[in-house]
Amino acid sequence: MVSQIQPPTQPEVIYPDRDGQPVANNTIQFGWFVEIKQNIEWLFADNPNVFVAGDLFWYPVEGRNTIVNAPDVMVVLGRPKGDRLCYQQWKEEGIAPQVVFEILSPSNTQTEMDKKLLFYDRYGVEEYYIYDPDRNNLRGWLRSENGLDVIPQMEDWVSPRLKIRFTPSPEGLQLYRPDGERFLTYTEISRNAEQERQRAEQERQRAEQERQRAELAEQARRDAIPRLLQMNLSIEQIAQALGLSVEEVRTLAQE
């Protein structure tokens, strides 16, 4: 009897979803992560096929778990929203993130950022933006037929994919939605939501007060009709005095 030798099984490739490093090195950097990610999520809230993530591991090549990067913010148009432990591109119809943002911290080195640029260029990113909040410096790259090329002028630059506008200023970078509304911080959004809640509550109270006034006025008219009839006023005279129609007075007088 001849036994068959089974081919060795390939070990399963593990794709880690964390590296033990903090999401951000300081509050300024983290604030920018949150602002950009959340505002882009709100911008595409009604589109189920736009996936936005922050500090999520992106594996572009199946079986190669050493080829990985974690953009500060990445936007993938054409992929459904939802939670992911990491972004494995071969499981996402081969679609690479089209837009990537990096927010610099003092610990970032030029070598590190050069490697990121090479990675994003090699694996298909269409738009790449780096903002250094400490130096208030914004740079951008846009894919051409030769790869990622530097965007020479970022002043009022509009993202071809996202349609958001970049407006650097001495006070810091401002980002604007396609409708012209400025990107807001979480604090500003919370404050606006609270103000809107208060306005809605005030409007509800005004409506309730108006309803109560109308009910009181209606009741006062009802109460006045018997007294006016006792004073021998005609239905027509009562109607004119109370601003009612003759039919309304007759109906109320019979109740």
Side-chain angles (χ1 to χ4, degrees), residues 22-33 103-107 133-134:
V23 174
N25 290 331
N26 55 66
T27 57
I28 297 174
Q29 187 186 31
F30 183 75
W32 276 102
F33 287 2
I103 308 300
L104 293 186
S105 70
S107 66
D134 287 342

Side-chain angles (χ1 to χ4, degrees), residues 5-24:
I5 301 176
Q6 298 295 326
T9 58
Q10 295 294 324
E12 180 184 2
V13 178
I14 304 299
Y15 300 92
D17 56 18
R18 61 181 62 87
D19 58 5
Q21 298 299 314
V23 174

Side-chain angles (χ1 to χ4, degrees), residues 38-54:
Q38 289 189 335
N39 277 273
I40 294 176
E41 283 180 328
W42 290 323
L43 179 62
F44 292 100
D46 296 330
N47 189 333
N49 288 312
V50 177
F51 174 64
V52 185

Side-chain angles (χ1 to χ4, degrees), residues 137-225:
N137 182 40
L138 173 68
R139 290 178 291 164
W141 288 261
L142 180 67
R143 181 166 295 278
S144 69
E145 60 182 13
N146 298 317
L148 286 175
D149 291 335
V150 172
I151 300 170
Q153 177 56 260
M154 289 301 300
E155 179 72 29
D156 287 330
W157 169 260
V158 176
S159 161
R161 278 288 193 171
L162 307 181
K163 309 305 180 186
I164 63 175
R165 178 164 52 90
F166 297 77
T167 304
S169 71
E171 292 75 31
L173 175 64
Q174 298 289 346
L175 298 172
Y176 292 88
R177 297 162 49 95
D179 60 8
E181 291 294 321
R182 179 174 62 85
F183 273 27
L184 300 175
T185 66
Y186 179 79
T187 300
E188 290 172 323
I189 292 165
S190 298
R191 185 184 300 119
N192 290 349
E194 177 60 20
Q195 291 173 348
E196 184 59 33
R197 186 196 67 79
Q198 292 177 359
R199 281 195 294 269
E201 177 62 19
Q202 291 169 356
E203 183 59 33
R204 186 195 67 79
Q205 291 178 358
R206 282 195 295 269
E208 177 62 18
Q209 291 169 355
E210 183 61 32
R211 184 188 66 79
Q212 291 176 357
R213 281 195 295 269
E215 288 182 351
L216 290 173
E218 178 65 19
Q219 189 60 46
R221 285 195 293 267
R222 290 173 182 269
D223 294 342
I225 290 174

Side-chain angles (χ1 to χ4, degrees), residues 66 127 232:
T66 58
E127 301 176 40
N232 295 321

